[in-house]
Amino acid sequence: MSETNNPLIRTDIPHSARIWNYWMGGKDNYEIDRTIGDASLAIDPDIATMAVESRKFLIRAVRMLAGERGIRQFLDVGTGLPTMQNTHEVAHELAPESRVVYVDNDPLVLAHARALLTSGSDEGVTTYIQRDFHNPEEIVADARNVLDFEKPVAVMFMGVLGHARSYPDALRIIGTIMDAVPSGSYLVFWDGTTDSDAYVKLCQEYTKSGGAPYEPRPKEQLEAAFDGLELVDPGFGPIVHWRAELAKPGTLPDIAAYGGVARKP
């Protein structure tokens, strides 16, 4: 990888975005990520399923918002590495004029941004903002240069807020951005929960490996992120069940990942 020449990219410390990429079959990862990824699979074999199912949830949510709700602006915070059917690709398939802003502070993600930005539509806009989600005011200020905050925006936190410094901080981050967007906007949010002992242990071991700590939380705390918003059917619950009408009965995996989509009244 040419990115190894970037001094900001540490190839000796595991990184959750690169490990996630590995679990999803991507190639943007290093030996340390694959080593920790395999060790994590030994602790919790369902984690690779969570990675795949979370992307399916993203695809269903963006399709619903662009296709059924007429949303043409997306703010994807903590996007991670591009893999398959990214937010802008799903949105542009249904609404080529969509404007998509990705936010991440990881140098490897930003190194891939140039290639990702070439795959957008001619009518729409796809861009990156280099910001830490712990500074949501800065995200809003930068996003205003691309998005029209007088029109609805879909704000997305897809399995990233376990990296928040605390639960109150996670709510602050969500609340700050949702306060900035107008009525008719949406929050798309999911995260890992404490339902699975194996997943909790995996997160603990990942922290010991030198990676940035990730804190799974009770599903009741995740649901509270939607307080004051109107949940879209089927409401808050396991992401594998969210609008999974096409799945065959009995085939949906049981993973510790909960979330939903909600409208700002």
Side-chain angles (χ1 to χ4, degrees):
M1 284 187 178
S2 61
E3 291 86 357
T4 56
N5 296 324
N6 188 328
L8 297 176
I9 298 174
R10 295 289 300 271
T11 62
D12 58 331
I13 296 176
H15 191 286
S16 59
R18 300 193 310 243
I19 296 172
W20 209 253
N21 177 268
Y22 171 56
W23 287 331
M24 293 182 69
K27 301 184 183 302
D28 299 313
N29 47 74
Y30 300 106
E31 182 177 357
I32 185 63
D33 306 308
R34 295 186 287 274
T35 298
I36 298 302
D38 289 339
S40 298
L41 284 169
I43 297 171
D44 182 8
D46 290 334
I47 190 62
T49 303
M50 183 186 292
V52 173
E53 292 296 331
S54 68
R55 182 49 55 104
K56 291 180 181 179
F57 170 64
L58 179 151
I59 293 168
R60 295 195 299 271
V62 173
R63 281 179 176 166
M64 184 273 290
L65 291 170
E68 299 177 21
R69 301 296 175 108
I71 297 298
R72 298 294 181 264
Q73 301 189 112
F74 296 83
L75 180 58
D76 189 340
V77 184
T79 178
L81 288 162
T83 49
M84 61 175 188
Q85 292 184 276
N86 302 287
T87 299
H88 74 286
E89 293 168 319
V90 179
H92 286 158
E93 180 181 351
L94 293 168
E97 71 275 23
S98 296
R99 305 174 77 83
V100 180
V101 175
Y102 291 109
V103 181
D104 211 292
N105 69 333
D106 179 70
L108 182 60
V109 171
L110 297 167
H112 284 265
R114 183 177 298 132
L116 179 64
L117 298 182
T118 64
S119 62
S121 71
D122 293 335
E123 303 98 310
V125 174
T126 304
T127 190
Y128 260 93
I129 292 173
Q130 184 174 7
R131 291 293 182 188
D132 187 325
F133 65 50
H134 288 99
N135 303 312
E137 296 88 356
E138 295 178 359
I139 292 173
V140 170
D142 285 353
R144 287 185 186 278
N145 295 323
V146 180
L147 305 178
D148 182 353
F149 274 58
E150 298 299 315
K151 298 178 180 179
V153 179
V155 179
M156 304 170 62
F157 292 95
M158 309 301 284
V160 297
L161 284 178
H163 283 309
R165 300 185 184 105
S166 66
Y167 175 63
D169 207 34
L171 294 182
R172 176 189 65 85
I173 292 164
I174 293 174
T176 299
I177 297 181
M178 292 306 298
D179 284 347
V181 297
S183 172
S185 294
Y186 288 83
L187 172 64
V188 186
F189 168 60
W190 80 269
D191 224 319
T193 70
T194 55
D195 288 35
S196 166
D197 291 340
Y199 177 65
V200 172
K201 182 179 179 182
L202 180 156
C203 292
Q204 293 170 342
E205 293 301 317
Y206 176 71
T207 299
K208 293 177 184 177
S209 74
Y214 201 92
E215 184 70 28
R217 299 185 171 99
K219 56 180 179 285
E220 294 80 9
Q221 289 189 356
L222 301 190
E223 187 172 12
F226 295 102
D227 285 353
L229 305 176
E230 301 168 346
L231 281 162
V232 174
D233 285 339
F236 175 84
I239 61 172
V240 296
H241 293 290
W242 196 89
R243 296 209 165 197
E245 295 86 356
L246 299 180
K248 295 181 180 179
T251 63
L252 294 175
D254 182 19
I255 56 175
Y258 283 70
V261 178
R263 180 183 182 275
K264 180 176 178 178

